[in-house]
Structures are given as structure tokens and as C-alpha cells.
Amino acid sequence: RSNNKRLINKNVEEIDKNRENKIIDIAKNILLEKGLSVTALNHFLNCKNLFIYQSILKLPQSLTVSSEKGNAMHDAISKVWMLQDKSEKIIKDKLIERINEYLKDSYLETADKERVKDELIENSSDVAKSLNQHFLMKGTVYTEHWVESTFSYKYKDSTVKIPIHGKLDAIVDNGNEVYVFDYKTRKAMSEKAIKGETKDSDGGYFRQLVFYYILLSQEPRFKNRIIIPSLVFVSPDEKGRCPIITLPINREDVVKVNEEINSLIESVWGGNVTKEYCDDRECQWCSLKKL
């Protein structure tokens, strides 16, 4: 009986090892072929198992109210930028039109869909008024703009090169400065919260801006321009304002994000990414891994 138990344990260990090796191979192939987004980087830094299940294995996720609310508003804002007439009323009308169009085809449950629609349409007047001057900015405008570059890391005796990429909500290039805007369908946050310097924040939003800064600074058409990244909070506050918070990016910020990408590559190529668990005892992704 003792020998049988040892044999079973050995077989289980062998199965686990083979499975983890396969996951490592998949992770390497995904990173080498598809590349790395800032969302995947945030997943990795929050929890290695979140990164594996969502960014590598792409475990299907059900639609959420918050994600569809963000998708509907992002779609509407991208259409506003294309308007010739950007008067306050026209902006409001376009927001309402696109919100209705997007949610008409959403797979949210009817009650959730109506709740999201009512909230966004109710906010549209404040958004149009508060961001009217924002939409009147002069320059070449790019919306939902895909930017890709290459990141290199020296791992042992070889160089690992992976694409890094992102779809930027809006870019306005006036010839001297390049303004980058990322829209958040939530109430405004303080600069400290954005940077992860408060107890309940992880710095993911600021990392996103730094990641976009890195991408644009390597884009030939934007080279040698001043890159100015901002977050735009499109859930109006109690005074109807949609704050635009601009955060300067310095060399230390870029170095830190580069080091975080280095740590991701090191973890995957070294095979440690499948062996670690996060500190959250309630983490669903670590619980899934333990199964």
C-alpha cells in the first residue's frame, strides 16, 4: 500500500510538472507572437494566476455592467471626436445616439442594460458641457489608435524580444506636443490614488499612462515630441465636472515599468510564473490554480 501511494504521488507530480511546462510554453509563444499589453502586465503584477488564466489562457469571462458601461462610453467618445460641429448640444446628441446604438446590441441582461443606459444618458449633458473645450483641441486626432513597439530583455545567454502594444483612446498631435487621453467611466481619483500611493489603489492607471508614453516615444511619427498623458474621468462629480488629470512622466517612472516588464519575462522564461500565489486569501484565480 505504501509503494502504491508513493507511485500515485509520483504520477501526480509528473502530471503537474508536464501541465506547468505546457503552460510555460504557451505563455512564451503568446508573448513572442501576440505581445504584451499593459492590461496583461497589470494582471501579472497583481497575481501570477490572474495573468495565466486571463492574459495567457484567455479563460472566458461573462460580461459585467462596469465593462459594458465603459465600452459604450468609449465608443460614443470616439465618435464625438469625428464630429465637424462640436457644439455642446451636438456632442450631447452624439453621445446619446451612440450609447443607445451600442447597448442595443449588448448581451447584458435587460435590466442591467437599461440601468447602464439610463445612467450614461443622464450624465451625457454634464459630459458634453464639461468636456466641450477638450473636444475642441486643435491638431491631428487619432481615436482607438493601435500602437506597437518591441521590447528586448537579456535572459541568460539570449535576447528575448517581445512586441508591446496598446490601443489608445485618443491622441491629439499639434505638431509640438502629443496629448494622450485615456477615458475612465468612473468618478475622479486623486493623483496619489492614481499612482498607487493610497491604501486601496494599486497604481495600475499610472502604469498604463507610462506604458503608453513608452509606446509613443518609440513611434517614428511622434519621435522628439513632448508626450503629455492624461486620464479623463467621464462620470461627472457632484458639480457636473469631468476632471482631466495630467500626470508628467519622468525617467524613473519609465525605468520602473521597464523593470516590471523585465520581471514578467524573467518569471515566464524561468518557469516561476506557474508556481506563485498572491497574498489575497480570497483570490479566485489562486483558488482555481489550487484545484
Coordinates of all heavy atoms in Angstrom, one line a residue, residues 19-53:
R19 N 2.0 19.6 -17.1 CA 1.0 20.6 -17.3 C 1.6 22.0 -17.2 O 1.4 22.9 -18.0 CB -0.2 20.5 -16.4 CG -1.3 21.5 -16.6 CD -2.6 21.2 -15.8 NE -2.3 21.1 -14.4 CZ -2.5 20.1 -13.6 NH1 -3.0 19.0 -14.1 NH2 -2.3 20.1 -12.3
E20 N 2.4 22.2 -16.2 CA 3.0 23.5 -16.0 C 4.0 23.8 -17.1 O 4.1 25.0 -17.5 CB 3.7 23.6 -14.6 CG 2.8 23.6 -13.4 CD 3.4 23.8 -12.1 OE1 4.7 24.0 -12.1 OE2 2.7 23.9 -11.1
N21 N 4.7 22.8 -17.6 CA 5.6 23.1 -18.7 C 4.9 23.5 -19.9 O 5.3 24.3 -20.7 CB 6.5 21.8 -19.0 CG 7.6 21.6 -17.9 OD1 7.9 22.5 -17.2 ND2 8.0 20.3 -17.8
K22 N 3.7 22.9 -20.1 CA 2.9 23.2 -21.3 C 2.4 24.7 -21.2 O 2.4 25.4 -22.2 CB 1.7 22.3 -21.4 CG 2.1 20.9 -22.0 CD 0.8 20.0 -22.0 CE 1.3 18.6 -22.5 NZ 0.1 17.6 -22.5
I23 N 2.0 25.0 -20.0 CA 1.5 26.4 -19.8 C 2.7 27.4 -20.0 O 2.4 28.5 -20.6 CB 0.9 26.6 -18.3 CG1 -0.4 25.8 -18.2 CG2 0.7 28.1 -18.0 CD1 -1.0 25.7 -16.8
I24 N 3.8 27.1 -19.5 CA 5.0 28.0 -19.8 C 5.3 28.1 -21.3 O 5.5 29.2 -21.8 CB 6.3 27.4 -19.1 CG1 6.1 27.5 -17.5 CG2 7.5 28.1 -19.5 CD1 6.1 28.9 -17.0
D25 N 5.2 27.0 -22.0 CA 5.4 27.1 -23.5 C 4.3 27.9 -24.1 O 4.7 28.7 -25.0 CB 5.4 25.7 -24.1 CG 6.6 24.8 -23.7 OD1 7.6 25.5 -23.4 OD2 6.5 23.6 -23.8
I26 N 3.1 27.8 -23.7 CA 2.0 28.6 -24.2 C 2.3 30.1 -23.9 O 2.1 31.0 -24.8 CB 0.6 28.2 -23.7 CG1 0.3 26.8 -24.2 CG2 -0.5 29.2 -24.0 CD1 -0.9 26.2 -23.5
A27 N 2.7 30.4 -22.7 CA 2.9 31.8 -22.3 C 4.1 32.4 -23.1 O 3.9 33.5 -23.6 CB 3.3 31.8 -20.8
K28 N 5.1 31.6 -23.3 CA 6.2 32.1 -24.2 C 5.8 32.4 -25.6 O 6.1 33.5 -26.2 CB 7.4 31.1 -24.2 CG 8.2 31.0 -22.9 CD 9.2 29.9 -23.1 CE 10.0 29.7 -21.8 NZ 11.0 28.6 -21.9
N29 N 5.0 31.5 -26.2 CA 4.5 31.6 -27.5 C 3.6 32.8 -27.7 O 3.7 33.6 -28.6 CB 3.8 30.4 -28.0 CG 4.8 29.2 -28.3 OD1 5.9 29.5 -28.6 ND2 4.3 28.0 -28.2
I30 N 2.7 33.0 -26.7 CA 1.8 34.1 -26.7 C 2.5 35.5 -26.7 O 2.3 36.4 -27.4 CB 0.8 34.1 -25.5 CG1 -0.2 32.9 -25.7 CG2 0.0 35.4 -25.3 CD1 -1.3 33.1 -26.7
L31 N 3.5 35.5 -25.8 CA 4.3 36.8 -25.6 C 5.1 37.1 -26.9 O 5.2 38.2 -27.3 CB 5.2 36.7 -24.4 CG 4.4 36.8 -23.0 CD1 5.4 36.4 -21.9 CD2 3.8 38.1 -22.8
L32 N 5.7 36.0 -27.4 CA 6.6 36.2 -28.6 C 5.8 36.6 -29.8 O 6.2 37.4 -30.7 CB 7.4 34.9 -28.9 CG 8.5 34.6 -27.9 CD1 9.1 33.2 -28.1 CD2 9.6 35.7 -28.0
E33 N 4.6 36.0 -30.0 CA 3.8 36.2 -31.2 C 2.8 37.3 -31.0 O 2.6 38.1 -31.9 CB 3.1 34.9 -31.6 CG 4.0 33.7 -32.0 CD 3.3 32.4 -32.2 OE1 2.1 32.4 -32.3 OE2 4.0 31.4 -32.2
K34 N 2.0 37.3 -29.9 CA 1.0 38.3 -29.7 C 1.4 39.5 -29.0 O 0.9 40.6 -29.2 CB -0.2 37.7 -29.0 CG -0.8 36.4 -29.6 CD -1.5 36.7 -30.9 CE -2.2 35.4 -31.4 NZ -2.9 35.6 -32.7
G35 N 2.5 39.4 -28.2 CA 3.0 40.5 -27.4 C 2.4 40.7 -26.1 O 1.6 39.9 -25.6
L36 N 2.7 41.9 -25.5 CA 2.3 42.2 -24.1 C 1.6 43.5 -24.1 O 2.0 44.5 -24.7 CB 3.5 42.3 -23.2 CG 3.3 42.7 -21.8 CD1 2.7 41.6 -21.0 CD2 4.6 43.1 -21.1
S37 N 0.4 43.5 -23.5 CA -0.4 44.8 -23.3 C -0.2 45.2 -21.8 O 0.3 44.4 -21.0 CB -1.8 44.6 -23.5 OG -2.4 43.7 -22.5
V38 N -0.5 46.5 -21.5 CA -0.4 46.9 -20.1 C -1.4 46.2 -19.2 O -1.2 46.0 -18.1 CB -0.6 48.5 -20.1 CG1 -2.0 48.9 -20.3 CG2 -0.1 49.0 -18.7
T39 N -2.6 45.8 -19.8 CA -3.5 45.0 -19.0 C -2.9 43.7 -18.5 O -3.0 43.4 -17.4 CB -4.8 44.7 -19.9 OG1 -5.4 46.0 -20.3 CG2 -5.8 43.9 -19.1
A40 N -2.2 43.0 -19.4 CA -1.5 41.8 -19.1 C -0.4 42.1 -18.0 O -0.3 41.3 -17.1 CB -0.9 41.1 -20.3
L41 N 0.3 43.1 -18.2 CA 1.3 43.5 -17.2 C 0.7 43.8 -15.8 O 1.2 43.3 -14.8 CB 2.1 44.7 -17.7 CG 3.2 45.2 -16.7 CD1 4.3 44.1 -16.5 CD2 3.9 46.5 -17.3
N42 N -0.4 44.5 -15.8 CA -1.1 44.7 -14.5 C -1.6 43.4 -13.9 O -1.5 43.2 -12.7 CB -2.3 45.7 -14.8 CG -1.9 47.1 -14.8 OD1 -0.8 47.5 -14.3 ND2 -2.7 48.0 -15.5
H43 N -2.1 42.5 -14.8 CA -2.5 41.2 -14.3 C -1.4 40.5 -13.6 O -1.5 40.0 -12.5 CB -3.1 40.3 -15.4 CG -4.4 40.7 -15.9 ND1 -4.9 40.2 -17.1 CD2 -5.4 41.5 -15.4 CE1 -6.1 40.7 -17.3 NE2 -6.4 41.5 -16.3
F44 N -0.2 40.5 -14.3 CA 0.9 39.8 -13.7 C 1.4 40.4 -12.4 O 1.7 39.6 -11.5 CB 2.1 39.9 -14.7 CG 3.4 39.4 -14.2 CD1 3.7 38.1 -14.2 CD2 4.4 40.3 -13.7 CE1 5.0 37.6 -13.8 CE2 5.6 39.9 -13.2 CZ 5.9 38.5 -13.2
L45 N 1.4 41.7 -12.3 CA 1.8 42.3 -11.0 C 0.8 42.2 -9.9 O 1.2 42.1 -8.7 CB 2.1 43.8 -11.3 CG 3.3 44.1 -12.3 CD1 3.3 45.5 -12.7 CD2 4.6 43.6 -11.6
N46 N -0.5 42.0 -10.2 CA -1.5 41.8 -9.2 C -1.5 40.4 -8.7 O -1.6 40.1 -7.5 CB -2.9 42.2 -9.7 CG -3.0 43.7 -9.8 OD1 -2.4 44.4 -9.0 ND2 -3.8 44.2 -10.7
C47 N -1.4 39.4 -9.7 CA -1.5 38.0 -9.3 C -1.0 37.2 -10.5 O -1.5 37.3 -11.6 CB -2.9 37.6 -8.9 SG -3.1 35.8 -8.7
K48 N 0.0 36.3 -10.3 CA 0.5 35.5 -11.4 C -0.5 34.6 -12.0 O -0.6 34.3 -13.2 CB 1.7 34.6 -10.9 CG 2.8 35.4 -10.2 CD 3.4 36.5 -11.1 CE 4.6 37.2 -10.4 NZ 4.2 38.1 -9.3
N49 N -1.5 34.1 -11.2 CA -2.5 33.2 -11.7 C -3.6 34.0 -12.5 O -4.1 33.4 -13.4 CB -3.1 32.4 -10.5 CG -2.1 31.4 -10.0 OD1 -1.5 30.6 -10.7 ND2 -1.9 31.5 -8.6
L50 N -3.9 35.2 -12.0 CA -4.7 36.1 -12.8 C -4.1 36.3 -14.2 O -4.8 36.2 -15.3 CB -4.9 37.4 -12.1 CG -5.5 38.6 -12.9 CD1 -7.0 38.2 -13.3 CD2 -5.4 39.9 -12.1
F51 N -2.8 36.5 -14.3 CA -2.1 36.6 -15.6 C -2.2 35.4 -16.4 O -2.5 35.5 -17.6 CB -0.6 37.0 -15.3 CG 0.3 36.9 -16.5 CD1 0.2 37.9 -17.5 CD2 1.2 35.9 -16.6 CE1 1.1 37.8 -18.6 CE2 2.0 35.8 -17.7 CZ 2.0 36.8 -18.7
I52 N -2.0 34.2 -15.8 CA -2.1 33.0 -16.6 C -3.5 32.7 -17.1 O -3.6 32.4 -18.3 CB -1.6 31.8 -15.7 CG1 -0.1 31.8 -15.4 CG2 -2.0 30.4 -16.3 CD1 0.8 31.6 -16.6
Y53 N -4.5 32.8 -16.3 CA -5.8 32.5 -16.7 C -6.5 33.5 -17.6 O -7.2 33.1 -18.5 CB -6.7 32.2 -15.5 CG -6.4 30.9 -14.8 CD1 -5.9 30.9 -13.5 CD2 -6.6 29.7 -15.4 CE1 -5.7 29.7 -12.8 CE2 -6.4 28.5 -14.8 CZ -5.9 28.5 -13.5 OH -5.6 27.3 -12.9

